């Protein structure tokens, strides 16, 4: 296992006091490693879990050539090039039932969708296209050889890779596993993530606020984000800004979890005592990241009761905690959970308004992506202060303004990252 210093020394241009987002992610991603541990689950219970082993198809899906339509199965050699032909129907092939008839020259068989192609046939004429007179079936010219026939193995071929380890299992994957006949599937164990809020000013919900106090909202956003990522979430509550209490909380968290996520206590005014404590607990770097919102952040590995956990010390501001979670912690936790696909796409949208932006930092403004006059456009949710949680609640995307980028004029194209998707 590499030390954090080793990892950092490999990152060129590392400056903890003005660290570009990409460099911070480089350090994080080279430091965290996937957890070991696999469990076998019934297919449905594996929804939202990470596939642990490659799946190779044990069978062909479909298992036989079959009809894609209701109609008539014919021998394509019997079909006329420019004129209609009339064939004799010898019976009906149904899906899931064996059809013993053999289609000889000049004959055809009625077929239902999904029925195995009757012997000697290779083409299906849809029933709407033919003229029926008793068992005499007239077929117009212009049919294509092989049409309306599904080939054995065209969905999944026996012996070929069906699903790769490291993917998130979605509804289609459950269906795919079922189509191969699997009743169970091996998935990575869930990641255990402990989290707590720090701050003397924090009050838990449903209590009365006194002057200067605020409700602890970060424990709700953090809980929600961790749950959505599919972690086993351990809520350690609110911890006061008291070195002894904080140390005990960190030790407990490290002992019981793979990763620890905290909010607050890493800003300049508070970082000093956190730094001293972290030096006792493990190896932790304190960063000022070149980004907005969410400048201060701590990252490393801490120990407790002989165990260790990765630490993400996020800033306390409600928007900053979410932005740093999505853009640093999310990818790291997914990597730890064994996911191979952690990147999210950036889409281009036309900005409805101007946006002020200084080069030399990455900004994650909160936006609303909407279709206007046939084009995807984006506008900001209003005030973008790092304490304005409403901006996250109203947004459906981040407007990602890259490190080098300057101000945006109305009508310019910007990159956006969607917050929700089809799941
Ligand atoms: P800190 O990073 O601890 O200096 O906190 C920065 C700001 O975020 C302060 O205004 C805090 O009151 C606020 N804050 C910190 N933690 C929370 C929390 N858990 N819920 C809501 N606001 C918080
Ligand atoms: Mg604080």
């Amino acid at each position: 296992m590499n030390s954090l210093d080793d990892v950092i020394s490999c990152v060129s241009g590392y400056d903890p006091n003005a660290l570009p987002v990409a460099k911070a992610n480089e350090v994080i991603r080279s430091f965290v490693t996937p957890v070991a541990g696999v469990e076998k689950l019934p297919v449905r219970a594996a929804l939202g879990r990470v596939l642990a082993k490659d799946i190779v198809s044990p069978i062909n899906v479909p298992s036989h050539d079959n009809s894609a339509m209701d109609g008539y199965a014919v021998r394509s050699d019997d079909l006329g090039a420019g004129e209609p032909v009339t064939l004799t129907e010898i019976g009906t092939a149904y899906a899931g039932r064996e059809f013993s008839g053999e289609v000889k020259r000049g004959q055809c068989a009625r077929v239902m969708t999904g029925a195995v192609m009757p012997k000697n046939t290779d083409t299906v004429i849809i029933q709407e296209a033919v003229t029926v007179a008793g068992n005499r079936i007239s077929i117009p010219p212009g049919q294509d050889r092989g049409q309306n026939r599904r080939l054995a193995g065209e969905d999944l071929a026996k012996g070929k890779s069906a699903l790769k380890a490291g993917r998130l299992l979605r509804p289609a994957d459950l269906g795919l596993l079922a189509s191969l006949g699997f009743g169970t599937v091996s998935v990575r164990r869930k990641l255990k993530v402990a989290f707590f809020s720090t701050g003397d000013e924090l009050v838990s919900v449903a209590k009365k606020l006194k002057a200067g106090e605020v409700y602890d909202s970060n424990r709700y956003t953090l809980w929600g984000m961790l749950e959505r990522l599919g972690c086993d979430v351990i809520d350690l509550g609110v911890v006061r800004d008291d070195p002894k209490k904080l140390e005990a909380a960190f030790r407990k968290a490290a002992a019981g979890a793979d990763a620890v996520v905290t909010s607050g206590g890493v800003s300049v005014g508070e970082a000093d005592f956190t730094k001293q404590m972290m030096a006792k607990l493990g190896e932790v770097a304190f960063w000022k990241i070149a980004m907005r919102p969410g400048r201060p952040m701590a990252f490393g590995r801490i120990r407790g009761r002989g165990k260790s956990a990765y630490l993400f010390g996020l800033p306390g501001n409600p928007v900053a905690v979410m932005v740093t979670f999505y853009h640093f912690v999310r990818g790291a936790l997914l990597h730890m959970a064994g996911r191979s696909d952690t990147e999210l796409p950036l889409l281009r949208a036309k900005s409805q308004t101007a946006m002020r932006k200084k080069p030399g930092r990455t900004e994650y403004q909160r936006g609303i992506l909407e279709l206007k006059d046939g084009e995807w456009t984006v506008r900001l949710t209003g005030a973008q202060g790092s304490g304005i949680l409403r901006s996250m609640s109203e947004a459906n995307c981040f407007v990602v303004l890259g490190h080098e980028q300057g101000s945006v004029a109305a009508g310019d194209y910007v990159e956006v990252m969607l917050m929700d998707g089809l799941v």
Side-chain angles (χ1 to χ4, degrees), residues 191-205:
L191 215 56
K192 286 202 246 343
V193 183
F195 72 109
F196 58 86
S197 298
T198 71
D200 287 337
E201 75 282 27
L202 301 181
V203 175
S204 291
V205 295

Side-chain angles (χ1 to χ4, degrees), residues 197-198 201-202 214-219 263-267 270 315-318:
S197 298
T198 71
E201 75 282 27
L202 301 181
V214 293
Y215 287 120
D216 174 14
S217 61
N218 290 349
R219 249 169 68 232
S263 80
V266 289
S267 55
E270 299 177 306
N317 273 309

Side-chain angles (χ1 to χ4, degrees), residues 39 41-55 162-178 184-188 339 341 423:
E39 55 185 324
L41 294 179
V43 167
R44 279 189 190 167
L47 181 65
R49 300 292 295 271
V50 181
L51 184 66
K53 293 179 189 145
D54 289 349
I55 300 284
L163 292 173
K164 287 270 179 224
R167 70 184 280 126
L168 176 78
L169 292 172
R170 297 177 301 139
D173 304 321
L174 301 193
L176 198 147
L177 287 163
T184 58
V185 60
S186 289
V187 297
R188 294 274 190 149
R339 279 277 289 276
D341 53 331
V423 283

Side-chain angles (χ1 to χ4, degrees), residues 21-266:
V21 168
K23 299 263 176 220
N25 267 323
E26 200 180 321
V27 174
I28 293 171
R29 294 301 280 281
S30 11
F31 195 53
V32 301
T33 48
V35 295
V38 167
E39 55 185 324
K40 208 165 204 180
L41 294 179
V43 167
R44 279 189 190 167
L47 181 65
R49 300 292 295 271
V50 181
L51 184 66
K53 293 179 189 145
D54 289 349
I55 300 284
V56 172
S57 181
I59 56 170
N60 276 326
V61 179
S63 55
H64 295 88
D65 289 7
N66 69 85
S67 175
M69 302 294 272
D70 292 343
Y72 293 85
V74 303
R75 305 161 63 116
S76 55
D77 288 346
D78 279 350
L79 297 177
E83 69 288 358
V85 292
T86 300
L87 302 173
T88 306
E89 189 218 291
I90 60 161
T92 303
Y94 294 95
R97 274 197 241 161
E98 201 172 341
F99 178 71
S100 53
E102 187 174 326
V103 176
K104 303 212 175 74
R105 301 204 85 168
Q107 296 183 333
C108 66
R110 188 158 148 70
V111 281
M112 298 299 157
T113 303
V116 172
M117 292 295 287
K119 203 160 176 200
N120 303 331
T121 67
D122 60 1
T123 298
V124 173
I125 319 298
I126 60 169
Q127 61 189 18
E128 293 81 355
V130 307
T131 314
V132 179
N135 67 349
R136 302 290 290 159
I137 312 297
S138 293
I139 297 168
Q143 312 295 332
D144 292 326
R145 181 190 292 266
Q147 72 185 17
N148 300 321
R149 177 183 51 156
R150 303 175 182 142
L151 297 176
E154 73 172 19
D155 183 0
L156 300 163
K158 185 175 178 178
K160 290 267 165 61
S161 167
L163 292 173
K164 287 270 179 224
R167 70 184 280 126
L168 176 78
L169 292 172
R170 297 177 301 139
D173 304 321
L174 301 193
L176 198 147
L177 287 163
S179 78
L180 293 173
F182 289 107
T184 58
V185 60
S186 289
V187 297
R188 294 274 190 149
R189 76 161 170 83
K190 278 192 174 189
L191 215 56
K192 286 202 246 343
V193 183
F195 72 109
F196 58 86
S197 298
T198 71
D200 287 337
E201 75 282 27
L202 301 181
V203 175
S204 291
V205 295
K207 292 197 177 133
K208 258 213 139 43
L209 283 186
K210 296 201 207 74
E213 292 180 335
V214 293
Y215 287 120
D216 174 14
S217 61
N218 290 349
R219 249 169 68 232
Y220 289 79
T221 48
L222 273 177
W223 177 85
M225 293 186 291
L226 289 166
E227 280 283 329
R228 282 270 182 102
L229 277 193
C231 304
D232 260 341
V233 185
I234 306 166
D235 182 356
L236 295 178
V238 179
V239 180
R240 298 295 159 207
D241 293 319
D242 164 340
K244 284 224 164 57
K245 289 194 173 132
L246 277 168
E247 188 176 327
F250 278 116
R251 284 191 194 281
K252 183 175 174 191
D258 302 301
V260 183
V261 181
T262 63
S263 80
V266 289

Side-chain angles (χ1 to χ4, degrees), residues 295-316:
R295 224 156 85 87
M297 188 177 140
F299 169 71
R301 186 166 47 204
I302 56 170
R303 287 179 302 271
R305 299 172 200 164
K307 298 224 168 113
S308 83
Y310 294 103
L311 170 79
F312 300 89
L314 306 185

